Amino acid sequence: GLLNRREKAAVDTKIQVMQWSQNVLQKILGYYDLFLKQAATVDLNSKKSIKIPGCSIDEVNRVEQYLYKEIDLGFNYKRKVSIYYLYRRLIYISLFGSIVLGFLFYVSAWKQFAGVLILYLYLITTSILKYKKLSFELNDDMLKNNGGTFGENYSLLPLYKVQNIKKVTNIYQRRKDLASLKVFTASGALTIPYIPNLLADEITNY
């Protein structure tokens, strides 16, 4: 709060997902923003989910160990998503970019051409960086999603909080024998994109 004081609290058992993230500046300074997502039956407004800004990694670990003290936090399984996730993004960006750049080149709109070219290179760079950080970890009790572009982004979900799981495949994924998983909790869903179809079935069955 600024002029008014506000306090938020949640019953431990209502916390579905623990997330922590940092942008470029936070990464330089060495701190994270921590989010504790409650069950939707408690609050459907994400603005009222508990956010703790300016946490050190030790403080993040302390909260993690407190919330999940009865759960194994050691991950012996880490998997990156398929390279086709990146290929598909690059194909769409390149297709759209080449059409726009070709038109601007044809009409000699050089300032606009330079601007679109910079945007095109930026989208290519961010897509590659995002793919490099995109992975998930799994053990008998927990699912952890890893991501980010210039910074870092992590989500931690106890498997006993899972309410539903949905396997999604589009035409492109079916051609590559891939699938995406949406893991639903009372506070929303986590997505594991572009993994082998067999692995998606194994996780769903488990």
Side-chain angles (χ1 to χ4, degrees), residues 22-41:
Q22 59 180 188
N23 56 34
V24 177
L25 180 59
Q26 292 171 327
K27 192 171 185 178
I28 294 172
L29 298 175
Y31 67 88
Y32 294 81
D33 286 338
L34 176 61
F35 301 86
L36 303 176
K37 297 207 166 184
Q38 301 181 61
T41 52

Side-chain angles (χ1 to χ4, degrees), residues 3-49:
L3 301 178
N4 297 323
R5 182 183 180 89
R6 298 188 302 272
E7 295 184 0
K8 299 177 184 177
V11 179
D12 296 346
T13 55
K14 295 297 184 181
I15 295 173
Q16 304 291 302
V17 178
M18 173 181 168
Q19 294 182 332
W20 61 103
S21 62
Q22 59 180 188
N23 56 34
V24 177
L25 180 59
Q26 292 171 327
K27 192 171 185 178
I28 294 172
L29 298 175
Y31 67 88
Y32 294 81
D33 286 338
L34 176 61
F35 301 86
L36 303 176
K37 297 207 166 184
Q38 301 181 61
T41 52
V42 175
D43 196 339
L44 286 170
N45 189 345
S46 61
K47 292 183 179 179
K48 293 187 178 180
S49 293

Side-chain angles (χ1 to χ4, degrees), residues 63-76:
V63 173
E64 179 184 37
Q65 291 166 4
Y66 170 76
L67 288 177
Y68 307 125
K69 49 183 172 288
E70 304 296 332
I71 299 177
D72 179 17
L73 294 175
F75 291 96
N76 51 16

Side-chain angles (χ1 to χ4, degrees), residues 143-160:
L143 168 64
K144 182 181 180 183
N145 262 13
N146 308 314
T149 304
F150 296 107
E152 310 287 341
N153 190 357
Y154 305 96
S155 299
L156 197 58
L157 167 65
L159 296 185
Y160 73 88

